[in-house]
Amino acid sequence: EGLYQPRAGYPNPDIELPIYTHLPLSGEQGTDPMSRNHINVLTPHALVALPGGAGTAAEAVLALRYGKPLILHGPPEGFRRFPAEAERTTSLERVAEFMLAATR
């Protein structure tokens, strides 16, 4: 009792380093101050977003809001809900170039 329990399905099995938090909001509420997305966006030096749902789109909005380097990688149709000003690419070479420049 009193121990934190992540929601069912969290963390995603592909996550290498889960960040556990008490913050309850995500998804459609991903830009709300009580969303864990702020931690996800403010922790790294730069972000690569893959096609995703409302939570991932909210992280892209926050990255731009906080001035974090952001690149979207994947097919253009996967980013319809994402901010227009975010750079998009289907090239892994461009992602690598972007990340090297962003983390120097």
Side-chain angles (χ1 to χ4, degrees):
E1 185 178 19
L3 296 177
Y4 171 77
Q5 291 294 316
R7 292 185 301 191
Y10 282 79
N12 177 310
D14 294 323
I15 298 297
E16 293 179 16
L17 180 63
I19 301 170
Y20 294 99
T21 171
H22 67 290
L23 298 170
L25 302 179
S26 63
E28 294 290 340
Q29 299 167 312
T31 58
D32 186 280
M34 291 301 291
S35 170
R36 63 187 174 84
N37 289 353
H38 294 269
I39 293 170
N40 295 342
V41 168
L42 291 170
T43 299
H45 294 288
L47 295 97
V48 177
L50 303 176
T56 307
E59 288 172 337
V61 167
L62 290 174
L64 294 171
R65 180 183 301 169
Y66 291 125
K68 287 287 188 165
L70 167 70
I71 191 166
L72 310 179
H73 178 255
E77 62 273 10
F79 298 108
R80 288 191 189 111
R81 301 171 67 178
F82 287 67
E85 61 269 32
E87 180 180 347
R88 291 153 164 77
T89 186
T90 57
S91 164
L92 281 175
E93 291 80 13
R94 175 60 191 133
V95 171
E97 179 183 273
F98 176 87
M99 292 303 287
L100 283 172
T103 57
R104 287 188 182 163

